[in-house]
Amino acid sequence: AQSVSQHNHHVILSEAASLELGCNYSYGGTVNLFWYVQYPGQHLQLLLKYFSGDPLVKGIKGFEAEFIKSKFSFNLRKPSVQWSDTAEYFCAVNARSNYQLIWGAGTKLIIKP
Amino acid sequence: GAVVSQHPSRVICKSGTSVKIECRSLDFQATTMFWYRQFPKKSLMLMATSNEGSKATYEQGVEKDKFLINHASLTLSTLTVTSAHPEDSSFYICSARRLAGFTDTQYFGPGTRLTVL
C-alpha cells in the first residue's frame, strides 16, 4: 500500500535559518508529488507540485522541493525562513493511475522571531 | 485561479438534526471533488470521492447513509451530515480536482467547523 512519511512532526527554527522538511513515500510506480501548507486559521494551500521534468521544483514564497526518485523522497527546502512561514506543512502523493492523495502526517513549523 | 469555497464556515447544531455543507469550485469545473475530515493534531482523513452525475465513493468505515454526498453540477458538491451526533463534530474540508493539460491537482476549500451539541 502507498504511504507517505514526514520525518519531523515539529520543527522550531529562528528567522533566517535554512529549512529542510523531509518527505518519503512508498510506491513503486509513477507518482505526482505535492506540498501543501496550512497557515494558522487558514485553509490548505498548494505550495508546489511535481509531475514531470526538472526534479527541482520551485513554489510560492521562496520554497522549493527536490524529487529524488532513487530515494523516494520529495524534501521541501527554503534557504532563509521568515516568521510568516510558521504553519503546518503536508506532503502528499498520488499515483498516476489513482488521483486520490495519500497524505503525510504533517510537520508543524514554528519560526521564532 | 483555482479557488474553492465552502459554506458555511462554521455551524452549530443540536443532536439529531441534519447539516448541509456546500463546496464550490469558483473558477474551474471539477468532475471530481473530495470530502475530508481533519482531526486535531492529525492529518486529513478522506471520507469520500464525489463524482459529478454519479454516486459518491466512500472510504472504508464511512457511513454513506450518514454522510450524504451530492455532486449535482461541475462546480458544486454538497455533504449532508444526517442525524448529527456530538461525535460528528469535526472540521470538514472539501477539495476539487482540477485537470489542466498534463497536471492533476486538488485545490482545497477553507473548511467547515461543525459542532454538534
Side-chain angles (χ1 to χ4, degrees):
Chain A
Q2 298 172 56
S3 67
V4 177
S5 66
Q6 290 183 238
H7 310 309
N8 308 98
H9 294 298
H10 289 88
V11 172
I12 301 174
L13 294 173
S14 298
E15 275 195 311
S18 65
L19 169 71
E20 181 159 3
L21 301 182
C23 172
N24 285 89
Y25 66 93
S26 65
Y27 182 70
T30 305
V31 294
N32 301 318
L33 300 145
F34 305 83
W35 276 98
Y36 285 87
V37 60
Q38 189 169 24
Y39 296 102
Q42 296 189 29
H43 63 284
L44 278 166
Q45 300 173 44
L46 181 67
L47 200 55
L48 48 76
K49 59 189 177 185
Y50 172 81
F51 286 83
S52 67
D54 188 344
L56 184 62
V57 179
K58 294 196 184 297
I60 60 172
K61 303 188 181 185
F63 286 91
E64 65 180 30
E66 185 174 13
F67 171 47
I68 302 179
K69 190 174 181 180
S70 60
K71 294 184 178 181
F72 298 89
S73 70
F74 190 54
N75 292 355
L76 180 71
R77 299 195 294 246
K78 185 169 182 177
S80 176
V81 293
Q82 301 171 313
W83 176 79
S84 57
D85 294 324
T86 295
E88 189 158 14
Y89 293 81
F90 294 92
C91 180
V93 172
N94 68 3
R96 292 281 171 88
S97 57
N98 179 357
Y99 47 75
Q100 287 187 0
L101 286 172
I102 307 298
W103 292 87
T107 298
K108 276 201 167 79
L109 174 65
I110 297 172
I111 306 299
K112 298 183 294 183
Chain B
V3 179
V4 177
S5 70
Q6 268 183 255
H7 178 80
S9 57
R10 290 178 182 273
V11 57
I12 300 172
C13 68
K14 291 183 179 179
S15 187
T17 61
S18 295
V19 174
K20 181 188 279 189
I21 304 169
E22 292 186 348
C23 177
R24 292 181 187 272
S25 55
L26 298 184
D27 52 0
F28 65 100
Q29 292 183 330
T31 54
T32 306
M33 292 184 174
F34 302 88
W35 287 96
Y36 295 86
R37 278 179 82 163
Q38 188 172 31
F39 294 95
K41 301 183 180 179
K42 292 197 174 180
S43 187
L44 294 171
M45 183 197 83
L46 178 65
M47 297 174 65
T49 302
S50 169
N51 298 297
E52 188 266 336
S54 65
K55 289 183 180 179
T57 305
Y58 290 82
E59 295 301 299
Q60 195 171 8
V62 178
E63 298 176 61
K64 62 180 181 181
D65 295 328
K66 181 167 189 62
F67 298 100
L68 299 178
I69 291 171
N70 184 284
H71 195 154
S73 78
L74 288 171
T75 58
L76 174 63
S77 175
T78 59
L79 169 69
T80 302
V81 183
T82 62
S83 187
H85 287 97
E87 59 265 29
D88 299 324
S89 297
S90 191
F91 195 56
Y92 293 86
I93 304 173
C94 75
S95 72
R97 181 188 181 208
R98 184 182 189 190
L99 292 166
F102 183 60
T103 66
D104 180 351
T105 306
Q106 287 185 38
Y107 293 91
F108 286 81
T112 297
R113 173 74 60 191
L114 170 63
T115 303
V116 185
L117 302 175

